Amino acid sequence: MARLRVAPAQHQGHERLYVTLADGTSVAWYDRDADRISLVRADREDEVMVVLAPYVTGEVTVGPPPVPTAAELDRLCLHPDDDLAPNRPGEALYADLDAVPASAPARLLRRDGRQEALTAQRLVGEALDALEGAGWRVLHAVPLPGAAFIDHLAIGPAGVLAVRTLAARKQRVRIADPMVRLGRSAPVPHLRWARRAAEGASLALALTVAPALVVTGASRLETLSTSPGALDVRILRDDALPALGRLGGVLKPADVESVYATARNRKTWIRA
Protein backbone atom coordinates (compact mmCIF):
# COMPACT_ATOMS: atom_id res chain seq x y z
CA MET A 1 0.00 0.00 0.00
CA ALA A 2 1.31 3.47 -0.95
CA ARG A 3 2.98 5.46 1.82
CA LEU A 4 1.33 8.61 3.06
CA ARG A 5 2.93 12.04 3.24
CA VAL A 6 2.26 14.99 5.53
CA ALA A 7 2.48 18.54 4.17
CA PRO A 8 1.52 21.88 5.80
CA ALA A 9 -0.68 24.39 3.98
CA GLN A 10 -2.74 27.49 4.72
CA HIS A 11 -6.53 27.40 4.43
CA GLN A 12 -8.42 30.67 4.94
CA GLY A 13 -5.71 31.94 7.28
CA HIS A 14 -5.47 28.74 9.33
CA GLU A 15 -2.74 26.13 9.22
CA ARG A 16 -3.65 22.63 8.12
CA LEU A 17 -1.62 19.46 7.81
CA TYR A 18 -2.64 17.52 4.71
CA VAL A 19 -2.09 13.78 4.46
CA THR A 20 -1.63 12.82 0.82
CA LEU A 21 -0.65 10.00 -1.47
CA ALA A 22 2.56 10.25 -3.50
CA ASP A 23 0.60 11.80 -6.41
CA GLY A 24 -0.77 14.56 -4.17
CA THR A 25 -4.27 13.12 -3.70
CA SER A 26 -5.62 14.12 -0.29
CA VAL A 27 -6.47 11.32 2.12
CA ALA A 28 -7.13 13.49 5.20
CA TRP A 29 -6.25 16.77 6.85
CA TYR A 30 -5.64 17.93 10.40
CA ASP A 31 -7.07 21.31 11.36
CA ARG A 32 -5.20 22.34 14.50
CA ASP A 33 -7.48 25.27 15.33
CA ALA A 34 -10.57 23.06 15.22
CA ASP A 35 -8.83 20.02 16.79
CA ARG A 36 -10.27 17.91 13.99
CA ILE A 37 -8.95 15.28 11.59
CA SER A 38 -11.12 15.07 8.48
CA LEU A 39 -10.92 11.75 6.63
CA VAL A 40 -11.46 11.68 2.88
CA ARG A 41 -10.52 7.98 2.82
CA ALA A 42 -12.04 6.33 5.88
CA ASP A 43 -10.43 3.00 4.92
CA ARG A 44 -6.99 4.49 5.68
CA GLU A 45 -7.82 5.94 9.09
CA ASP A 46 -5.26 3.81 10.94
CA GLU A 47 -2.44 4.91 8.63
CA VAL A 48 -3.52 8.54 8.87
CA MET A 49 -3.44 8.43 12.65
CA VAL A 50 0.05 6.94 12.60
CA VAL A 51 1.58 9.59 10.32
CA LEU A 52 -0.15 12.43 12.17
CA ALA A 53 0.75 11.17 15.65
CA PRO A 54 3.88 13.38 15.96
CA TYR A 55 1.81 16.48 15.20
CA VAL A 56 -1.44 15.91 17.11
CA THR A 57 -1.76 17.52 20.54
CA GLY A 58 -4.62 16.85 22.95
CA GLU A 59 -8.02 15.42 22.08
CA VAL A 60 -9.14 15.53 18.45
CA THR A 61 -12.32 14.70 16.60
CA VAL A 62 -11.92 12.19 13.76
CA GLY A 63 -14.51 11.82 11.03
CA PRO A 64 -15.56 12.76 7.50
CA PRO A 65 -15.04 16.34 6.30
CA PRO A 66 -17.62 18.76 7.71
CA VAL A 67 -20.59 19.71 5.56
CA PRO A 68 -19.81 22.91 3.61
CA THR A 69 -21.36 26.08 4.96
CA ALA A 70 -23.67 28.22 2.85
CA ALA A 71 -20.79 30.65 2.27
CA GLU A 72 -18.53 27.85 1.05
CA LEU A 73 -21.22 26.56 -1.30
CA ASP A 74 -21.70 30.05 -2.72
CA ARG A 75 -17.97 30.30 -3.34
CA LEU A 76 -17.88 26.95 -5.14
CA CYS A 77 -20.77 28.00 -7.39
CA LEU A 78 -19.27 31.40 -8.25
CA HIS A 79 -18.21 31.85 -11.87
CA PRO A 80 -14.52 32.88 -12.16
CA ASP A 81 -15.46 36.02 -14.09
CA ASP A 82 -17.66 37.13 -11.19
CA ASP A 83 -15.14 36.39 -8.43
CA LEU A 84 -13.44 39.50 -7.06
CA ALA A 85 -11.18 37.58 -4.66
CA PRO A 86 -8.26 37.31 -7.16
CA ASN A 87 -8.14 41.10 -7.60
CA ARG A 88 -4.76 42.56 -6.68
CA PRO A 89 -4.46 45.78 -4.70
CA GLY A 90 -4.74 48.58 -7.25
CA GLU A 91 -6.09 46.26 -9.96
CA ALA A 92 -7.63 49.10 -11.98
CA LEU A 93 -4.36 51.05 -11.86
CA TYR A 94 -2.46 48.16 -13.39
CA ALA A 95 -4.65 48.39 -16.47
CA ASP A 96 -4.18 52.16 -16.67
CA LEU A 97 -0.41 51.93 -16.35
CA ASP A 98 -0.19 49.09 -18.86
CA ALA A 99 -1.87 51.40 -21.39
CA VAL A 100 0.89 54.01 -21.02
CA PRO A 101 3.38 53.76 -23.92
CA ALA A 102 6.77 52.44 -22.90
CA SER A 103 8.31 55.54 -24.47
CA ALA A 104 6.37 57.89 -22.18
CA PRO A 105 8.68 60.09 -20.06
CA ALA A 106 8.88 59.06 -16.41
CA ARG A 107 8.03 62.62 -15.37
CA LEU A 108 4.53 62.15 -16.82
CA LEU A 109 3.86 59.22 -14.49
CA ARG A 110 5.18 61.19 -11.54
CA ARG A 111 2.94 64.11 -12.44
CA ASP A 112 -0.35 62.15 -12.54
CA GLY A 113 0.57 60.13 -9.46
CA ARG A 114 -0.69 56.76 -10.68
CA GLN A 115 2.53 54.92 -9.90
CA GLU A 116 2.60 56.36 -6.38
CA ALA A 117 -1.08 55.49 -5.94
CA LEU A 118 -0.41 51.91 -7.00
CA THR A 119 2.52 51.63 -4.60
CA ALA A 120 0.35 52.94 -1.76
CA GLN A 121 -2.51 50.55 -2.55
CA ARG A 122 -0.13 47.61 -2.66
CA LEU A 123 1.37 48.61 0.69
CA VAL A 124 -2.04 48.95 2.34
CA GLY A 125 -3.36 45.84 0.65
CA GLU A 126 -0.48 43.72 1.94
CA ALA A 127 -0.97 45.07 5.47
CA LEU A 128 -4.68 44.24 5.35
CA ASP A 129 -4.07 40.78 3.88
CA ALA A 130 -1.76 40.11 6.83
CA LEU A 131 -4.79 40.39 9.13
CA GLU A 132 -6.24 37.15 7.78
CA GLY A 133 -4.79 35.22 10.70
CA ALA A 134 -6.79 37.49 13.03
CA GLY A 135 -10.05 36.57 11.32
CA TRP A 136 -10.20 39.26 8.62
CA ARG A 137 -11.04 38.72 4.96
CA VAL A 138 -10.09 41.39 2.41
CA LEU A 139 -11.10 42.24 -1.14
CA HIS A 140 -9.27 44.73 -3.34
CA ALA A 141 -10.42 47.02 -6.16
CA VAL A 142 -14.12 46.39 -5.61
CA PRO A 143 -16.01 47.98 -8.53
CA LEU A 144 -18.91 50.34 -7.92
CA PRO A 145 -21.38 51.46 -10.61
CA GLY A 146 -19.71 53.88 -12.98
CA ALA A 147 -15.93 54.08 -12.89
CA ALA A 148 -15.48 54.16 -9.11
CA PHE A 149 -13.71 51.53 -6.99
CA ILE A 150 -13.41 50.75 -3.31
CA ASP A 151 -9.65 50.43 -2.86
CA HIS A 152 -10.00 47.75 -0.18
CA LEU A 153 -12.98 46.15 1.56
CA ALA A 154 -11.93 44.70 4.92
CA ILE A 155 -14.34 42.31 6.66
CA GLY A 156 -13.50 41.14 10.15
CA PRO A 157 -14.38 40.86 13.83
CA ALA A 158 -14.52 44.67 14.13
CA GLY A 159 -17.00 45.01 11.26
CA VAL A 160 -16.71 46.02 7.60
CA LEU A 161 -14.47 48.85 6.41
CA ALA A 162 -14.43 50.54 3.01
CA VAL A 163 -10.82 51.68 2.84
CA ARG A 164 -9.61 54.56 0.69
CA THR A 165 -5.86 54.92 0.24
CA LEU A 166 -3.93 58.19 0.00
CA ALA A 167 -0.28 58.29 -1.05
CA ALA A 168 1.33 61.19 0.82
CA ARG A 169 4.80 60.87 -0.74
CA LYS A 170 6.62 62.21 2.38
CA GLN A 171 4.48 65.33 2.50
CA ARG A 172 2.41 66.82 5.30
CA VAL A 173 -1.26 65.87 5.26
CA ARG A 174 -3.85 68.23 6.73
CA ILE A 175 -7.44 67.11 7.18
CA ALA A 176 -10.33 69.56 7.56
CA ASP A 177 -13.52 67.60 7.01
CA PRO A 178 -14.31 66.85 4.24
CA MET A 179 -11.15 68.18 2.60
CA VAL A 180 -7.68 66.69 2.68
CA ARG A 181 -4.67 68.76 1.68
CA LEU A 182 -1.46 67.10 0.60
CA GLY A 183 1.57 69.37 0.96
CA ARG A 184 0.92 72.62 -0.89
CA SER A 185 -1.56 71.12 -3.35
CA ALA A 186 -5.22 72.12 -3.49
CA PRO A 187 -7.52 70.43 -0.96
CA VAL A 188 -9.39 67.36 -2.21
CA PRO A 189 -12.62 65.92 -0.67
CA HIS A 190 -11.19 62.50 0.18
CA LEU A 191 -13.42 62.11 3.25
CA ARG A 192 -16.53 62.75 1.17
CA TRP A 193 -15.40 60.13 -1.35
CA ALA A 194 -14.62 57.67 1.43
CA ARG A 195 -18.12 58.13 2.87
CA ARG A 196 -19.69 57.74 -0.56
CA ALA A 197 -17.88 54.44 -1.12
CA ALA A 198 -18.96 53.16 2.29
CA GLU A 199 -22.56 54.14 1.59
CA GLY A 200 -22.46 52.22 -1.69
CA ALA A 201 -21.03 49.18 0.08
CA SER A 202 -23.71 49.41 2.79
CA LEU A 203 -26.41 49.43 0.13
CA ALA A 204 -24.92 46.47 -1.73
CA LEU A 205 -24.26 44.33 1.35
CA ALA A 206 -27.33 45.41 3.36
CA LEU A 207 -25.27 46.10 6.48
CA THR A 208 -23.27 48.89 8.07
CA VAL A 209 -19.95 49.65 6.36
CA ALA A 210 -17.63 52.20 7.98
CA PRO A 211 -15.46 54.50 5.86
CA ALA A 212 -11.72 54.63 6.43
CA LEU A 213 -8.87 56.68 4.98
CA VAL A 214 -5.39 55.19 5.20
CA VAL A 215 -2.50 57.60 4.59
CA THR A 216 0.84 56.17 3.48
CA GLY A 217 4.23 57.83 3.76
CA ALA A 218 3.10 61.09 5.40
CA SER A 219 5.78 63.23 7.01
CA ARG A 220 3.08 64.62 9.28
CA LEU A 221 -0.65 63.97 9.68
CA GLU A 222 -2.84 66.74 11.12
CA THR A 223 -6.59 66.66 11.73
CA LEU A 224 -7.70 70.28 11.81
CA SER A 225 -11.42 69.65 12.12
CA THR A 226 -13.06 68.33 15.29
CA SER A 227 -16.63 68.41 13.96
CA PRO A 228 -18.77 65.35 14.77
CA GLY A 229 -18.98 64.46 11.09
CA ALA A 230 -15.23 63.81 10.96
CA LEU A 231 -15.49 61.08 13.56
CA ASP A 232 -17.37 58.70 11.27
CA VAL A 233 -14.31 58.26 9.03
CA ARG A 234 -11.53 56.20 10.56
CA ILE A 235 -8.22 57.92 9.70
CA LEU A 236 -5.12 55.76 9.94
CA ARG A 237 -1.48 55.72 8.99
CA ASP A 238 -0.48 52.57 7.14
CA ASP A 239 1.73 51.44 10.04
CA ALA A 240 -1.34 51.45 12.34
CA LEU A 241 -3.21 48.82 10.33
CA PRO A 242 -1.92 45.81 12.33
CA ALA A 243 -3.82 47.20 15.35
CA LEU A 244 -7.09 46.32 13.61
CA GLY A 245 -6.29 42.68 14.35
CA ARG A 246 -6.85 43.34 18.05
CA LEU A 247 -10.36 44.75 17.57
CA GLY A 248 -13.59 42.77 17.59
CA GLY A 249 -17.05 42.48 19.03
CA VAL A 250 -19.06 43.16 15.85
CA LEU A 251 -18.98 40.09 13.57
CA LYS A 252 -18.64 36.43 14.48
CA PRO A 253 -16.38 34.24 12.28
CA ALA A 254 -19.38 32.70 10.51
CA ASP A 255 -20.73 36.21 9.79
CA VAL A 256 -17.37 37.28 8.40
CA GLU A 257 -17.37 34.35 5.97
CA SER A 258 -20.99 34.99 4.97
CA VAL A 259 -20.37 38.69 4.22
CA TYR A 260 -17.15 37.84 2.38
CA ALA A 261 -18.96 35.28 0.20
CA THR A 262 -21.53 37.91 -0.76
CA ALA A 263 -18.97 40.68 -1.29
CA ARG A 264 -16.68 38.69 -3.55
CA ASN A 265 -19.48 38.24 -6.10
CA ARG A 266 -19.24 40.98 -8.73
CA LYS A 267 -23.02 40.87 -9.22
CA THR A 268 -23.50 42.04 -5.64
CA TRP A 269 -22.16 45.47 -6.59
CA ILE A 270 -24.48 46.09 -9.51
CA ARG A 271 -27.03 47.56 -7.12
CA ALA A 272 -24.50 49.58 -5.04
Side-chain angles (χ1 to χ4, degrees):
M1 190 170 290
R3 293 183 57 186
L4 301 181
R5 301 177 178 180
V6 178
Q10 290 286 321
H11 177 76
Q12 297 182 359
H14 302 286
E15 183 177 342
R16 279 184 176 179
L17 291 177
Y18 282 88
V19 181
T20 68
L21 300 175
D23 63 0
T25 302
S26 293
V27 175
W29 67 80
Y30 171 35
D31 190 331
R32 286 174 165 167
D33 293 329
D35 292 324
R36 180 184 178 88
I37 297 175
S38 297
L39 296 169
V40 179
R41 291 276 303 273
D43 59 309
R44 306 197 69 162
E45 178 178 348
D46 291 342
E47 297 170 82
V48 168
M49 299 306 294
V50 169
V51 297
L52 285 178
Y55 308 99
V56 174
T57 57
E59 296 290 330
V60 295
T61 301
V62 180
V67 176
T69 64
E72 291 171 331
L73 290 175
D74 288 343
R75 184 180 70 249
L76 292 172
C77 296
L78 188 59
H79 192 281
D81 290 344
D82 292 327
D83 191 359
L84 299 177
N87 281 9
R88 300 166 293 180
E91 189 70 50
L93 290 172
Y94 280 102
D96 288 345
L97 290 170
D98 287 344
V100 176
S103 58
R107 60 183 175 82
L108 294 182
L109 285 178
R110 289 195 298 270
R111 186 177 302 165
D112 67 22
R114 287 181 294 183
Q115 189 63 57
E116 289 85 353
L118 176 58
T119 300
Q121 291 196 33
R122 289 176 60 183
L123 177 66
V124 172
E126 290 170 3
L128 291 171
D129 286 340
L131 296 174
E132 188 172 351
W136 289 77
R137 307 299 300 276
V138 182
L139 294 167
H140 309 288
V142 176
L144 294 171
F149 286 85
I150 299 174
D151 292 345
H152 317 279
L153 187 74
I155 307 161
V160 184
L161 298 176
V163 179
R164 183 175 181 85
T165 303
L166 175 62
R169 305 191 298 276
K170 299 182 180 180
Q171 299 181 76
R172 181 172 65 172
V173 177
R174 286 171 288 181
I175 299 174
D177 188 23
M179 309 303 286
V180 178
R181 186 170 185 175
L182 183 63
R184 297 182 179 179
S185 61
V188 177
H190 282 288
L191 297 192
R192 182 182 303 153
W193 294 338
R195 291 188 181 104
R196 189 175 300 165
E199 289 169 359
S202 295
L203 178 63
L205 299 173
L207 51 74
T208 300
V209 177
L213 178 68
V214 178
V215 181
T216 69
S219 61
R220 187 174 178 181
L221 180 59
E222 301 175 359
T223 302
L224 305 180
S225 173
T226 57
S227 64
L231 300 178
D232 68 328
V233 179
R234 189 188 297 265
I235 300 171
L236 300 167
R237 288 178 176 267
D238 58 280
D239 56 7
L241 288 173
L244 292 177
R246 298 192 292 271
L247 303 179
V250 178
L251 295 179
K252 298 177 180 179
D255 297 327
V256 171
E257 292 301 325
S258 178
V259 174
Y260 178 73
T262 300
R264 70 186 295 177
N265 189 339
R266 186 182 300 273
K267 295 178 180 177
T268 296
W269 302 96
I270 294 176
R271 61 179 183 272

